Amino acid sequence: MAENSNGAPNGQTPPQQAQAQLNLQRIYLKDVSFEAPGAPQIFQQQGQPNVELNLSQRVAQVANDTFEVVLSVTATCKVEDKTAYLAEVHQAGVFGLSGFDDASREAVLATYCPNVLFPYVRQTVSDLVQNGGFPPFFLQPINFDALYAEQLRRRAEGATGETSANA
């Protein structure tokens, strides 16, 4: 007599546990802008350029297991008090995520997805700045895992701060 080694009665197959799956469906530029408000006079300006970088991301659920992640970067370069250029890029991707618990899905959307989009943002910003007549500007790598860990830490501090304030 053969034994059923999978633990299911009468040769039935056991229910499959949902295996986490991630797929990249599309990467696209959602919005891009470049301004050189002081050109051509800014090219004659002497002084050390100062670049300010703002980074943000937004996640929107598109369908049941489909999410749009938008990584936004704004680079503003000033020479003294004059704006040399402003480059803004919103790089987006559509990602399919299934079989993840809520915490894991949030972590993937906040770390893995921006890491996939970042090289596209870096290239677009670099191309915009160089095509605008300015020296090349290369975004340095960003540790999205560390940013997410910091966000979780702040969220935990906020939750404990609220609890102690109400006690």
Side-chain angles (χ1 to χ4, degrees):
M1 184 168 161
E3 284 189 34
N4 186 356
S5 61
N6 65 11
N10 299 330
Q12 296 173 350
T13 57
Q16 294 293 319
Q17 289 184 333
Q19 185 174 1
Q21 293 184 347
L22 166 68
N23 65 36
L24 173 60
Q25 297 177 1
R26 185 168 309 270
I27 293 178
Y28 56 98
L29 267 173
K30 190 162 183 105
D31 189 17
V32 65
S33 172
F34 182 83
E35 299 172 33
Q41 293 81 5
I42 197 69
F43 298 123
Q44 305 304 315
Q45 188 77 29
Q46 298 296 318
Q48 185 66 29
N50 179 30
V51 178
E52 180 182 307
L53 191 64
N54 290 313
L55 174 77
S56 65
Q57 80 179 53
R58 182 179 48 79
V59 176
Q61 190 165 1
V62 177
N64 193 24
D65 289 334
T66 307
F67 298 84
E68 178 192 52
V69 177
V70 180
L71 182 61
S72 300
V73 173
T74 303
T76 306
C77 178
K78 292 188 175 192
V79 177
E80 295 179 6
D81 63 340
K82 293 183 173 75
T83 300
Y85 64 79
L86 175 83
E88 185 174 28
V89 176
H90 299 267
Q91 187 72 51
V94 177
F95 297 86
L97 283 83
S98 61
F100 288 89
D101 61 50
D102 289 344
S104 297
R105 181 176 49 242
E106 180 184 344
V108 168
L109 291 169
T111 60
Y112 177 80
C113 297
N115 271 313
V116 169
L117 298 174
F118 185 74
Y120 296 93
V121 168
R122 179 187 350 212
Q123 185 64 52
T124 302
V125 168
S126 177
D127 289 347
L128 286 170
V129 170
Q130 198 162 7
N131 290 341
F134 296 93
F137 175 73
F138 301 106
L139 291 170
Q140 295 302 309
I142 295 174
N143 186 339
F144 290 99
D145 293 318
L147 291 175
Y148 180 63
E150 177 65 17
Q151 179 185 358
L152 289 178
R153 184 188 67 77
R154 287 183 181 182
R155 192 183 305 166
E157 283 179 0
T160 58
E162 292 172 9
T163 304
S164 62
N166 291 335

